[in-house]
Amino acid sequence: AIATQISGQLGVIGTALLKSVSPIVVKSVGANDTGLMERTTIMSTKVIFFVVSLPFIPIIIETQFILNLWLITPPQYASLFCKLLFIENRLADLVLLLPVCIGAFGKIKGYNLTTSFISLAPIIVSYFLFYKGFEVYVVYLLMIVSRICSDVVNIYFTHKYCHISWKTYLVNVIFRLSTAFILTIIIASTLTTFIQMSWVRLILVIVTTTVVY
């Protein structure tokens, strides 16, 4: 619940940006202007991912410190749950506009069936894993795997129906955004190796993230 609450609050920005861009994508499909649709989709995805990820990176790195300030004594696994959910959400942001493109073309039956199955799979699998005695965080790991599969499905159907090259999307969006995100986390995380958990370290992580990202 804590992880969902934090993620939901920060996700409001991405939702607002998505609502402002979606009509442009839909209109470009209606005008049969696939070039405009592709440019808008790729550029908007980059902007939304950057804007939403910027505050998320310091939170991912300093999750434990923030939870200690907020809850004094956070529940077990709270920090891990938050980090895993944040990662799952960022994976979703990589293809945030692709469902809009697919929906604008109206060919959604096969797409909806596939994504629905992928969404339900973690619930079914986690039931059997819990029965076998696995830890509770396995649910979040399954959600991440499910999200990766969902991203692949979104890219496939967008390529099939919307004629957005999957190679172009992988290189210009997935690879570039993921690389920048991961490298920024690695660089900013180096501060945690020689500075103790504190407000000073949190501020330095925020500054480093802003400069590097």
mmCIF file of all heavy atoms in Angstrom, residues 110-147:
data_model
loop_
_atom_site.group_PDB
_atom_site.id
_atom_site.type_symbol
_atom_site.label_atom_id
_atom_site.label_comp_id
_atom_site.label_asym_id
_atom_site.label_seq_id
_atom_site.Cartn_x
_atom_site.Cartn_y
_atom_site.Cartn_z
ATOM 1 N N GLY A 110 -7.157 -8.642 -30.520
ATOM 2 C CA GLY A 110 -6.010 -9.494 -30.230
ATOM 3 C C GLY A 110 -5.086 -8.872 -29.212
ATOM 4 O O GLY A 110 -4.545 -9.563 -28.338
ATOM 5 N N TYR A 111 -4.933 -7.557 -29.300
ATOM 6 C CA TYR A 111 -4.075 -6.830 -28.364
ATOM 7 C C TYR A 111 -4.622 -6.927 -26.943
ATOM 8 O O TYR A 111 -3.878 -7.230 -25.996
ATOM 9 C CB TYR A 111 -3.970 -5.367 -28.800
ATOM 10 C CG TYR A 111 -3.344 -4.457 -27.774
ATOM 11 C CD1 TYR A 111 -1.965 -4.470 -27.565
ATOM 12 C CD2 TYR A 111 -4.130 -3.599 -27.004
ATOM 13 C CE1 TYR A 111 -1.390 -3.638 -26.618
ATOM 14 C CE2 TYR A 111 -3.566 -2.769 -26.059
ATOM 15 C CZ TYR A 111 -2.193 -2.786 -25.875
ATOM 16 O OH TYR A 111 -1.623 -1.965 -24.935
ATOM 17 N N ASN A 112 -5.909 -6.689 -26.771
ATOM 18 C CA ASN A 112 -6.513 -6.728 -25.435
ATOM 19 C C ASN A 112 -6.466 -8.127 -24.825
ATOM 20 O O ASN A 112 -6.232 -8.282 -23.622
ATOM 21 C CB ASN A 112 -7.968 -6.250 -25.496
ATOM 22 C CG ASN A 112 -8.080 -4.744 -25.616
ATOM 23 O OD1 ASN A 112 -7.131 -4.018 -25.313
ATOM 24 N ND2 ASN A 112 -9.226 -4.255 -26.062
ATOM 25 N N LEU A 113 -6.707 -9.142 -25.642
ATOM 26 C CA LEU A 113 -6.641 -10.518 -25.145
ATOM 27 C C LEU A 113 -5.239 -10.858 -24.649
ATOM 28 O O LEU A 113 -5.064 -11.462 -23.589
ATOM 29 C CB LEU A 113 -7.066 -11.496 -26.251
ATOM 30 C CG LEU A 113 -8.554 -11.546 -26.589
ATOM 31 C CD1 LEU A 113 -8.789 -12.436 -27.811
ATOM 32 C CD2 LEU A 113 -9.361 -12.061 -25.399
ATOM 33 N N THR A 114 -4.252 -10.464 -25.434
ATOM 34 C CA THR A 114 -2.864 -10.767 -25.074
ATOM 35 C C THR A 114 -2.438 -10.039 -23.809
ATOM 36 O O THR A 114 -1.857 -10.636 -22.894
ATOM 37 C CB THR A 114 -1.912 -10.383 -26.227
ATOM 38 O OG1 THR A 114 -2.345 -11.009 -27.428
ATOM 39 C CG2 THR A 114 -0.490 -10.827 -25.923
ATOM 40 N N THR A 115 -2.710 -8.739 -23.740
ATOM 41 C CA THR A 115 -2.300 -7.959 -22.570
ATOM 42 C C THR A 115 -3.073 -8.369 -21.320
ATOM 43 O O THR A 115 -2.528 -8.323 -20.212
ATOM 44 C CB THR A 115 -2.491 -6.450 -22.829
ATOM 45 O OG1 THR A 115 -3.833 -6.183 -23.263
ATOM 46 C CG2 THR A 115 -1.515 -5.960 -23.889
ATOM 47 N N SER A 116 -4.319 -8.773 -21.488
ATOM 48 C CA SER A 116 -5.109 -9.226 -20.337
ATOM 49 C C SER A 116 -4.523 -10.507 -19.756
ATOM 50 O O SER A 116 -4.420 -10.665 -18.526
ATOM 51 C CB SER A 116 -6.563 -9.468 -20.742
ATOM 52 O OG SER A 116 -7.183 -8.269 -21.153
ATOM 53 N N PHE A 117 -4.123 -11.413 -20.628
ATOM 54 C CA PHE A 117 -3.503 -12.663 -20.174
ATOM 55 C C PHE A 117 -2.200 -12.380 -19.433
ATOM 56 O O PHE A 117 -1.933 -12.960 -18.368
ATOM 57 C CB PHE A 117 -3.240 -13.580 -21.371
ATOM 58 C CG PHE A 117 -2.454 -14.808 -21.011
ATOM 59 C CD1 PHE A 117 -3.058 -15.875 -20.378
ATOM 60 C CD2 PHE A 117 -1.091 -14.884 -21.292
ATOM 61 C CE1 PHE A 117 -2.334 -17.013 -20.031
ATOM 62 C CE2 PHE A 117 -0.361 -16.002 -20.954
ATOM 63 C CZ PHE A 117 -0.979 -17.076 -20.319
ATOM 64 N N ILE A 118 -1.394 -11.472 -19.980
ATOM 65 C CA ILE A 118 -0.113 -11.129 -19.352
ATOM 66 C C ILE A 118 -0.338 -10.481 -17.989
ATOM 67 O O ILE A 118 0.407 -10.731 -17.034
ATOM 68 C CB ILE A 118 0.695 -10.189 -20.275
ATOM 69 C CG1 ILE A 118 1.129 -10.939 -21.535
ATOM 70 C CG2 ILE A 118 1.914 -9.625 -19.549
ATOM 71 C CD1 ILE A 118 1.808 -10.065 -22.576
ATOM 72 N N SER A 119 -1.379 -9.658 -17.872
ATOM 73 C CA SER A 119 -1.676 -8.990 -16.607
ATOM 74 C C SER A 119 -2.144 -9.963 -15.534
ATOM 75 O O SER A 119 -1.855 -9.789 -14.341
ATOM 76 C CB SER A 119 -2.752 -7.916 -16.823
ATOM 77 O OG SER A 119 -2.310 -6.921 -17.715
ATOM 78 N N LEU A 120 -2.879 -11.003 -15.955
ATOM 79 C CA LEU A 120 -3.394 -11.981 -15.000
ATOM 80 C C LEU A 120 -2.357 -13.025 -14.605
ATOM 81 O O LEU A 120 -2.446 -13.612 -13.523
ATOM 82 C CB LEU A 120 -4.619 -12.692 -15.590
ATOM 83 C CG LEU A 120 -5.898 -11.863 -15.712
ATOM 84 C CD1 LEU A 120 -6.959 -12.652 -16.477
ATOM 85 C CD2 LEU A 120 -6.418 -11.457 -14.339
ATOM 86 N N ALA A 121 -1.386 -13.252 -15.454
ATOM 87 C CA ALA A 121 -0.390 -14.300 -15.217
ATOM 88 C C ALA A 121 0.322 -14.174 -13.866
ATOM 89 O O ALA A 121 0.476 -15.184 -13.157
ATOM 90 C CB ALA A 121 0.618 -14.320 -16.360
ATOM 91 N N PRO A 122 0.777 -12.976 -13.451
ATOM 92 C CA PRO A 122 1.465 -12.882 -12.157
ATOM 93 C C PRO A 122 0.609 -13.309 -10.971
ATOM 94 O O PRO A 122 1.121 -13.887 -10.008
ATOM 95 C CB PRO A 122 1.812 -11.381 -12.063
ATOM 96 C CG PRO A 122 1.848 -10.908 -13.465
ATOM 97 C CD PRO A 122 0.790 -11.696 -14.172
ATOM 98 N N ILE A 123 -0.689 -13.040 -11.048
ATOM 99 C CA ILE A 123 -1.582 -13.420 -9.948
ATOM 100 C C ILE A 123 -1.652 -14.939 -9.823
ATOM 101 O O ILE A 123 -1.560 -15.499 -8.724
ATOM 102 C CB ILE A 123 -2.994 -12.839 -10.174
ATOM 103 C CG1 ILE A 123 -2.938 -11.316 -10.245
ATOM 104 C CG2 ILE A 123 -3.948 -13.294 -9.067
ATOM 105 C CD1 ILE A 123 -4.262 -10.669 -10.607
ATOM 106 N N ILE A 124 -1.798 -15.588 -10.964
ATOM 107 C CA ILE A 124 -1.899 -17.061 -10.968
ATOM 108 C C ILE A 124 -0.585 -17.703 -10.534
ATOM 109 O O ILE A 124 -0.565 -18.601 -9.684
ATOM 110 C CB ILE A 124 -2.294 -17.551 -12.375
ATOM 111 C CG1 ILE A 124 -3.654 -16.967 -12.783
ATOM 112 C CG2 ILE A 124 -2.327 -19.079 -12.418
ATOM 113 C CD1 ILE A 124 -4.023 -17.230 -14.226
ATOM 114 N N VAL A 125 0.516 -17.224 -11.098
ATOM 115 C CA VAL A 125 1.830 -17.797 -10.779
ATOM 116 C C VAL A 125 2.202 -17.548 -9.324
ATOM 117 O O VAL A 125 2.732 -18.432 -8.644
ATOM 118 C CB VAL A 125 2.909 -17.207 -11.716
ATOM 119 C CG1 VAL A 125 4.291 -17.725 -11.314
ATOM 120 C CG2 VAL A 125 2.611 -17.573 -13.164
ATOM 121 N N SER A 126 1.920 -16.340 -8.822
ATOM 122 C CA SER A 126 2.279 -16.012 -7.433
ATOM 123 C C SER A 126 1.535 -16.902 -6.442
ATOM 124 O O SER A 126 2.070 -17.228 -5.377
ATOM 125 C CB SER A 126 1.985 -14.538 -7.145
ATOM 126 O OG SER A 126 0.600 -14.254 -7.301
ATOM 127 N N TYR A 127 0.308 -17.295 -6.782
ATOM 128 C CA TYR A 127 -0.450 -18.188 -5.901
ATOM 129 C C TYR A 127 0.309 -19.495 -5.685
ATOM 130 O O TYR A 127 0.460 -19.970 -4.548
ATOM 131 C CB TYR A 127 -1.827 -18.481 -6.498
ATOM 132 C CG TYR A 127 -2.607 -19.535 -5.755
ATOM 133 C CD1 TYR A 127 -3.304 -19.232 -4.591
ATOM 134 C CD2 TYR A 127 -2.632 -20.861 -6.213
ATOM 135 C CE1 TYR A 127 -4.007 -20.210 -3.896
ATOM 136 C CE2 TYR A 127 -3.330 -21.843 -5.523
ATOM 137 C CZ TYR A 127 -4.021 -21.505 -4.374
ATOM 138 O OH TYR A 127 -4.702 -22.478 -3.674
ATOM 139 N N PHE A 128 0.814 -20.075 -6.756
ATOM 140 C CA PHE A 128 1.547 -21.344 -6.646
ATOM 141 C C PHE A 128 2.905 -21.144 -5.965
ATOM 142 O O PHE A 128 3.359 -22.004 -5.204
ATOM 143 C CB PHE A 128 1.743 -21.951 -8.036
ATOM 144 C CG PHE A 128 0.476 -22.469 -8.654
ATOM 145 C CD1 PHE A 128 -0.190 -21.741 -9.622
ATOM 146 C CD2 PHE A 128 -0.065 -23.687 -8.266
ATOM 147 C CE1 PHE A 128 -1.366 -22.208 -10.193
ATOM 148 C CE2 PHE A 128 -1.238 -24.170 -8.824
ATOM 149 C CZ PHE A 128 -1.892 -23.421 -9.790
ATOM 150 N N LEU A 129 3.545 -20.001 -6.205
ATOM 151 C CA LEU A 129 4.838 -19.737 -5.571
ATOM 152 C C LEU A 129 4.674 -19.528 -4.064
ATOM 153 O O LEU A 129 5.497 -19.987 -3.268
ATOM 154 C CB LEU A 129 5.499 -18.517 -6.215
ATOM 155 C CG LEU A 129 5.939 -18.690 -7.669
ATOM 156 C CD1 LEU A 129 6.594 -17.412 -8.189
ATOM 157 C CD2 LEU A 129 6.912 -19.860 -7.813
ATOM 158 N N PHE A 130 3.601 -18.841 -3.660
ATOM 159 C CA PHE A 130 3.330 -18.669 -2.230
ATOM 160 C C PHE A 130 3.054 -20.024 -1.584
ATOM 161 O O PHE A 130 3.465 -20.280 -0.442
ATOM 162 C CB PHE A 130 2.134 -17.741 -2.018
ATOM 163 C CG PHE A 130 2.431 -16.291 -2.258
ATOM 164 C CD1 PHE A 130 1.413 -15.407 -2.591
ATOM 165 C CD2 PHE A 130 3.720 -15.801 -2.158
ATOM 166 C CE1 PHE A 130 1.684 -14.068 -2.822
ATOM 167 C CE2 PHE A 130 4.004 -14.466 -2.379
ATOM 168 C CZ PHE A 130 2.982 -13.602 -2.716
ATOM 169 N N TYR A 131 2.366 -20.862 -2.304
ATOM 170 C CA TYR A 131 2.060 -22.203 -1.801
ATOM 171 C C TYR A 131 3.347 -22.997 -1.560
ATOM 172 O O TYR A 131 3.429 -23.811 -0.636
ATOM 173 C CB TYR A 131 1.178 -22.933 -2.807
ATOM 174 C CG TYR A 131 0.785 -24.329 -2.389
ATOM 175 C CD1 TYR A 131 -0.197 -24.539 -1.415
ATOM 176 C CD2 TYR A 131 1.393 -25.447 -2.962
ATOM 177 C CE1 TYR A 131 -0.562 -25.817 -1.021
ATOM 178 C CE2 TYR A 131 1.036 -26.732 -2.575
ATOM 179 C CZ TYR A 131 0.062 -26.918 -1.603
ATOM 180 O OH TYR A 131 -0.285 -28.190 -1.225
ATOM 181 N N LYS A 132 4.369 -22.708 -2.383
ATOM 182 C CA LYS A 132 5.658 -23.379 -2.250
ATOM 183 C C LYS A 132 6.585 -22.692 -1.244
ATOM 184 O O LYS A 132 7.705 -23.136 -1.026
ATOM 185 C CB LYS A 132 6.359 -23.436 -3.610
ATOM 186 C CG LYS A 132 5.658 -24.327 -4.631
ATOM 187 C CD LYS A 132 5.680 -25.788 -4.219
ATOM 188 C CE LYS A 132 5.041 -26.675 -5.282
ATOM 189 N NZ LYS A 132 5.076 -28.111 -4.892
ATOM 190 N N GLY A 133 6.099 -21.592 -0.647
ATOM 191 C CA GLY A 133 6.868 -20.948 0.410
ATOM 192 C C GLY A 133 7.769 -19.810 -0.015
ATOM 193 O O GLY A 133 8.659 -19.408 0.749
ATOM 194 N N PHE A 134 7.561 -19.246 -1.197
ATOM 195 C CA PHE A 134 8.379 -18.131 -1.653
ATOM 196 C C PHE A 134 8.046 -16.862 -0.861
ATOM 197 O O PHE A 134 6.957 -16.723 -0.309
ATOM 198 C CB PHE A 134 8.162 -17.885 -3.147
ATOM 199 C CG PHE A 134 8.918 -18.836 -4.036
ATOM 200 C CD1 PHE A 134 8.465 -20.138 -4.217
ATOM 201 C CD2 PHE A 134 10.069 -18.439 -4.695
ATOM 202 C CE1 PHE A 134 9.152 -21.026 -5.033
ATOM 203 C CE2 PHE A 134 10.756 -19.310 -5.512
ATOM 204 C CZ PHE A 134 10.303 -20.601 -5.693
ATOM 205 N N GLU A 135 9.005 -15.932 -0.838
ATOM 206 C CA GLU A 135 8.815 -14.670 -0.131
ATOM 207 C C GLU A 135 7.779 -13.792 -0.846
ATOM 208 O O GLU A 135 7.546 -13.940 -2.047
ATOM 209 C CB GLU A 135 10.147 -13.908 -0.040
ATOM 210 C CG GLU A 135 11.224 -14.630 0.769
ATOM 211 C CD GLU A 135 10.931 -14.589 2.262
ATOM 212 O OE1 GLU A 135 9.992 -13.877 2.679
ATOM 213 O OE2 GLU A 135 11.646 -15.274 3.020
ATOM 214 N N VAL A 136 7.215 -12.838 -0.095
ATOM 215 C CA VAL A 136 6.131 -12.014 -0.640
ATOM 216 C C VAL A 136 6.595 -11.102 -1.776
ATOM 217 O O VAL A 136 5.798 -10.739 -2.648
ATOM 218 C CB VAL A 136 5.492 -11.157 0.476
ATOM 219 C CG1 VAL A 136 4.750 -12.028 1.453
ATOM 220 C CG2 VAL A 136 6.557 -10.337 1.204
ATOM 221 N N TYR A 137 7.885 -10.739 -1.783
ATOM 222 C CA TYR A 137 8.347 -9.819 -2.829
ATOM 223 C C TYR A 137 8.367 -10.460 -4.210
ATOM 224 O O TYR A 137 8.585 -9.779 -5.219
ATOM 225 C CB TYR A 137 9.720 -9.245 -2.497
ATOM 226 C CG TYR A 137 10.815 -10.272 -2.304
ATOM 227 C CD1 TYR A 137 11.416 -10.909 -3.395
ATOM 228 C CD2 TYR A 137 11.269 -10.597 -1.028
ATOM 229 C CE1 TYR A 137 12.421 -11.849 -3.217
ATOM 230 C CE2 TYR A 137 12.280 -11.528 -0.844
ATOM 231 C CZ TYR A 137 12.853 -12.148 -1.940
ATOM 232 O OH TYR A 137 13.847 -13.076 -1.759
ATOM 233 N N VAL A 138 8.134 -11.770 -4.270
ATOM 234 C CA VAL A 138 8.112 -12.440 -5.567
ATOM 235 C C VAL A 138 6.999 -11.879 -6.458
ATOM 236 O O VAL A 138 7.103 -11.890 -7.685
ATOM 237 C CB VAL A 138 7.951 -13.967 -5.388
ATOM 238 C CG1 VAL A 138 6.533 -14.331 -4.954
ATOM 239 C CG2 VAL A 138 8.300 -14.708 -6.681
ATOM 240 N N VAL A 139 5.934 -11.358 -5.829
ATOM 241 C CA VAL A 139 4.835 -10.759 -6.597
ATOM 242 C C VAL A 139 5.349 -9.596 -7.438
ATOM 243 O O VAL A 139 5.008 -9.453 -8.612
ATOM 244 C CB VAL A 139 3.712 -10.272 -5.661
ATOM 245 C CG1 VAL A 139 2.643 -9.536 -6.454
ATOM 246 C CG2 VAL A 139 3.097 -11.432 -4.914
ATOM 247 N N TYR A 140 6.186 -8.766 -6.837
ATOM 248 C CA TYR A 140 6.711 -7.604 -7.546
ATOM 249 C C TYR A 140 7.691 -8.015 -8.643
ATOM 250 O O TYR A 140 7.753 -7.380 -9.698
ATOM 251 C CB TYR A 140 7.379 -6.648 -6.558
ATOM 252 C CG TYR A 140 6.389 -5.941 -5.657
ATOM 253 C CD1 TYR A 140 6.013 -6.488 -4.440
ATOM 254 C CD2 TYR A 140 5.802 -4.743 -6.042
ATOM 255 C CE1 TYR A 140 5.097 -5.857 -3.620
ATOM 256 C CE2 TYR A 140 4.887 -4.098 -5.237
ATOM 257 C CZ TYR A 140 4.533 -4.660 -4.022
ATOM 258 O OH TYR A 140 3.621 -4.028 -3.221
ATOM 259 N N LEU A 141 8.443 -9.066 -8.394
ATOM 260 C CA LEU A 141 9.341 -9.571 -9.433
ATOM 261 C C LEU A 141 8.538 -10.091 -10.623
ATOM 262 O O LEU A 141 8.903 -9.861 -11.786
ATOM 263 C CB LEU A 141 10.232 -10.678 -8.865
ATOM 264 C CG LEU A 141 11.226 -10.256 -7.780
ATOM 265 C CD1 LEU A 141 11.983 -11.468 -7.252
ATOM 266 C CD2 LEU A 141 12.206 -9.215 -8.316
ATOM 267 N N LEU A 142 7.433 -10.782 -10.321
ATOM 268 C CA LEU A 142 6.557 -11.271 -11.386
ATOM 269 C C LEU A 142 5.912 -10.106 -12.143
ATOM 270 O O LEU A 142 5.728 -10.174 -13.360
ATOM 271 C CB LEU A 142 5.474 -12.175 -10.800
ATOM 272 C CG LEU A 142 5.933 -13.547 -10.288
ATOM 273 C CD1 LEU A 142 4.790 -14.252 -9.558
ATOM 274 C CD2 LEU A 142 6.434 -14.411 -11.441
ATOM 275 N N MET A 143 5.583 -9.044 -11.424
ATOM 276 C CA MET A 143 5.011 -7.857 -12.070
ATOM 277 C C MET A 143 6.006 -7.232 -13.044
ATOM 278 O O MET A 143 5.616 -6.758 -14.123
ATOM 279 C CB MET A 143 4.586 -6.836 -11.010
ATOM 280 C CG MET A 143 3.346 -7.221 -10.236
ATOM 281 S SD MET A 143 3.026 -6.120 -8.818
ATOM 282 C CE MET A 143 2.852 -4.541 -9.658
ATOM 283 N N ILE A 144 7.277 -7.223 -12.671
ATOM 284 C CA ILE A 144 8.306 -6.673 -13.554
ATOM 285 C C ILE A 144 8.447 -7.524 -14.807
ATOM 286 O O ILE A 144 8.523 -7.007 -15.926
ATOM 287 C CB ILE A 144 9.651 -6.560 -12.806
ATOM 288 C CG1 ILE A 144 9.565 -5.458 -11.742
ATOM 289 C CG2 ILE A 144 10.799 -6.281 -13.776
ATOM 290 C CD1 ILE A 144 10.790 -5.340 -10.873
ATOM 291 N N VAL A 145 8.468 -8.841 -14.631
ATOM 292 C CA VAL A 145 8.551 -9.750 -15.778
ATOM 293 C C VAL A 145 7.336 -9.571 -16.681
ATOM 294 O O VAL A 145 7.446 -9.507 -17.911
ATOM 295 C CB VAL A 145 8.661 -11.218 -15.311
ATOM 296 C CG1 VAL A 145 8.583 -12.167 -16.510
ATOM 297 C CG2 VAL A 145 9.954 -11.436 -14.551
ATOM 298 N N SER A 146 6.157 -9.472 -16.049
ATOM 299 C CA SER A 146 4.922 -9.261 -16.798
ATOM 300 C C SER A 146 4.961 -7.946 -17.559
ATOM 301 O O SER A 146 4.520 -7.866 -18.711
ATOM 302 C CB SER A 146 3.722 -9.266 -15.836
ATOM 303 O OG SER A 146 2.528 -8.910 -16.497
ATOM 304 N N ARG A 147 5.505 -6.909 -16.935
ATOM 305 C CA ARG A 147 5.589 -5.602 -17.586
ATOM 306 C C ARG A 147 6.519 -5.648 -18.791
ATOM 307 O O ARG A 147 6.241 -5.043 -19.828
ATOM 308 C CB ARG A 147 6.051 -4.549 -16.580
ATOM 309 C CG ARG A 147 6.241 -3.166 -17.181
ATOM 310 C CD ARG A 147 4.995 -2.662 -17.847
ATOM 311 N NE ARG A 147 3.902 -2.547 -16.891
ATOM 312 C CZ ARG A 147 2.661 -2.225 -17.240
ATOM 313 N NH1 ARG A 147 2.343 -2.032 -18.514
ATOM 314 N NH2 ARG A 147 1.711 -2.128 -16.326
#
